[in-house]
Amino acid sequence: MKSLSSFKKLISWSRKNFSELPWRKRRSLYYTLVSEIMLQQTTVGTVKNHFDRFLEEYPDVEILSLSTEEEMLRSWKGLGYYRRAKNLRKAAMDVMELFQGKIPLDFEDLKKIKGIGDYTASALLSIGEDKKALALDANLERVLSRLYGIKEAKGPKLQKLLREKFEKKEILSEMEKLSPRFLTEALMDLGRTFCQARKATCLECPLKDCCVAFLEGKPLSYPTGAAEKKEKFFELKLLRVVVEKGNKVLAYQKKDGEWLSGQWELPTFILLSVDKNLEQYPFYKGKLAWKKLKSYKTSITKYKIENYIWVCSEKEFLTLMEKKNSYAFHDPLKGDLSTASMKALSYLKR
């Protein structure tokens, strides 16, 4: 069977090039849970730099469940999207409370755990336990659409269709003769390298001989409408206020629903925003020649941000005080000040 031979070739390519990823060198359900949560919305390279260090602090689900939220957020620094850290901690607590510290191997039981949805449950089964399951992330969605020539727009409808075809053995029927773990990881590797959203390097792909999109000569037309989609970014100018007292700086802890919730941040105000609906920060209402201040660039979600740094006294800051934020002097060396805030402090030393 041509496709079985091609899948074996794909797995061989994947294991040759990516078996050194730390979460693949040491296998366990717990390691798979940690890596899958970390890899959500974060590049493999970034996770690679943090995975081993994190596991030194939290080597098993019990120790992770006993951590405080503050400790967890500090350990997560550098990975971004901090809600995932909270979800991982809650998942560990649920595993201890509901399943006596053992991650279950039943799909529905897995979904009872906070922070675990269809994808993560399937990934724990296929990658963590090497059981037949379709762990459908964005890479697999795209690769399978092209491989089998499935004309459907990227999103829930395509995902539902792929799951139905998988259950009927209309796609990936070869998984029963191969390792679900190695095949799933190989397809994900393919999506990150040769079969990207806006670039398909088909001639180097191990699956090209049985790929409908390649044989048709138009891989970027799958999933339908995917290549044409353009993300909209908003320009945003923020004022980062630095008020120092000894070795500490004035800061506040971000609330749930705010960017970087749980972290500490310098007092921050909106100077200009293209997005009129943005409510992450209050608007600056004073008079200040902010265009002459030192500045640096950052970005988050769909915002490209120019950050301006204003150093002032505590007395000056009181005129800007917003009741909704509780400010306190905070030690930057604690490690839980946001990256953007740490950048502001570092720029002042230049």
Side-chain angles (χ1 to χ4, degrees):
M1 189 186 297
K2 184 192 289 187
S3 56
L4 181 61
S5 172
S6 295
F7 281 134
K8 286 180 178 178
K9 193 187 302 183
L10 174 72
I11 289 172
S12 177
W13 163 80
S14 170
R15 298 197 68 191
K16 179 182 177 182
N17 290 281
F18 301 106
S19 61
E20 291 303 305
L21 291 174
W23 50 92
R24 296 185 185 178
K25 287 169 71 175
R26 294 180 291 165
R27 301 280 190 178
S28 77
L29 277 174
Y30 173 65
Y31 289 175
T32 301
L33 174 62
V34 172
S35 64
E36 286 301 326
I37 298 295
M38 283 186 173
L39 286 163
Q40 292 171 10
Q41 299 175 295
T42 304
T43 64
V44 165
T46 300
V47 175
K48 203 174 163 184
N49 294 331
H50 291 82
F51 186 76
D52 286 336
R53 173 191 56 76
F54 184 88
L55 286 177
E56 285 176 10
E57 291 184 67
Y58 307 105
D60 57 50
V61 71
E62 182 177 8
I63 292 175
L64 180 58
S65 73
L66 295 173
S67 66
T68 66
E69 186 173 289
E70 186 177 3
E71 289 169 340
M72 184 63 168
L73 292 171
R74 191 180 303 132
S75 301
W76 198 262
K77 190 165 185 184
L79 285 162
Y81 297 96
Y82 286 81
R83 185 175 297 279
R84 294 174 303 152
K86 294 182 179 182
N87 286 341
L88 180 57
R89 177 174 169 269
K90 289 175 182 175
M93 293 167 70
D94 275 358
V95 170
M96 294 304 299
E97 183 179 340
L98 301 176
F99 302 103
Q100 295 75 52
K102 293 185 178 179
I103 297 173
L105 293 176
D106 177 79
F107 184 78
E108 295 303 327
D109 281 345
L110 283 166
K111 288 179 62 178
K112 293 174 185 176
I113 298 170
K114 290 185 183 71
I116 294 184
D118 287 352
Y119 167 74
T120 306
S122 297
L124 284 165
L125 294 174
S126 63
I127 297 172
E129 195 60 19
D130 204 18
K131 293 180 67 173
K132 184 183 174 184
L134 182 64
L136 198 57
D137 70 350
N139 281 324
L140 251 74
E141 182 183 350
R142 179 174 63 257
V143 169
L144 295 178
S145 172
R146 291 174 180 173
L147 181 62
Y148 292 101
I150 298 173
K151 287 279 189 181
E152 182 59 78
K154 177 182 176 182
K157 287 185 179 180
L158 176 56
Q159 292 165 13
K160 182 182 178 183
L161 184 57
L162 289 171
R163 289 193 185 97
E164 288 174 352
K165 287 181 175 291
F166 179 74
E167 291 300 322
K168 294 176 183 177
K169 300 183 181 180
E170 293 176 7
I171 64 172
L172 296 181
S173 60
E174 296 84 357
M175 187 178 281
E176 295 178 352
K177 298 178 182 178
L178 300 166
S179 162
R181 168 186 291 155
F182 293 147
L183 181 55
T184 299
E185 289 178 336
L187 290 167
M188 290 176 174
D189 294 337
L190 186 66
R192 289 198 323 273
T193 54
F194 299 147
C195 200
Q196 298 174 11
R198 291 180 172 81
K199 182 182 178 183
T201 315
C202 295
L203 293 179
E204 297 181 51
C205 175
L207 296 182
K208 63 179 181 294
D209 291 339
C210 58
C211 176
V212 172
F214 170 69
L215 296 173
E216 287 182 353
K218 46 184 181 181
L220 296 184
S221 65
Y222 294 90
T224 56
E228 294 81 10
K229 186 177 178 182
K230 292 184 179 179
E231 194 168 358
K232 181 179 181 181
F233 286 91
F234 293 103
E235 299 292 332
L236 177 63
K237 297 186 187 296
L238 297 178
L239 181 67
R240 306 284 187 176
V241 183
V242 179
V243 182
E244 297 178 294
K245 182 182 282 187
N247 295 322
K248 296 183 177 182
V249 293
L250 203 64
Y252 71 103
Q253 192 169 28
K254 304 302 291 289
K255 302 181 182 70
D256 284 343
E258 295 182 321
W259 294 337
L260 310 177
S261 63
Q263 286 194 72
W264 286 76
E265 190 162 51
L266 296 174
T268 301
F269 298 85
I270 297 173
L271 294 166
L272 287 173
S273 175
V274 174
D275 180 8
K276 301 303 179 184
N277 297 316
L278 182 65
E279 296 180 347
Q280 289 286 331
Y281 304 104
F283 276 84
Y284 176 71
K285 297 176 182 176
K287 292 182 179 180
L288 183 67
W290 52 266
K291 291 181 180 179
K292 297 180 181 179
L293 299 173
K294 284 187 176 181
S295 68
Y296 60 96
K297 296 180 187 291
T298 58
S299 63
I300 189 167
T301 63
K302 57 185 178 181
Y303 297 90
K304 293 183 178 179
I305 307 171
E306 184 82 21
N307 302 269
Y308 293 84
I309 312 166
W310 181 39
V311 181
C312 69
S313 67
E314 187 176 1
K315 185 177 179 181
E316 286 177 294
F317 176 73
L318 288 175
T319 62
L320 301 174
M321 182 69 77
E322 290 284 327
K323 291 182 180 178
K324 73 173 187 176
N325 287 329
S326 179
Y327 297 101
F329 282 97
H330 194 73
D331 185 355
L333 297 179
K334 286 184 71 177
D336 52 5
L337 205 60
S338 72
T339 301
S341 296
M342 291 301 293
K343 273 190 177 182
L345 299 180
S346 69
Y347 267 69
L348 291 177
K349 297 176 183 177
R350 295 185 179 184

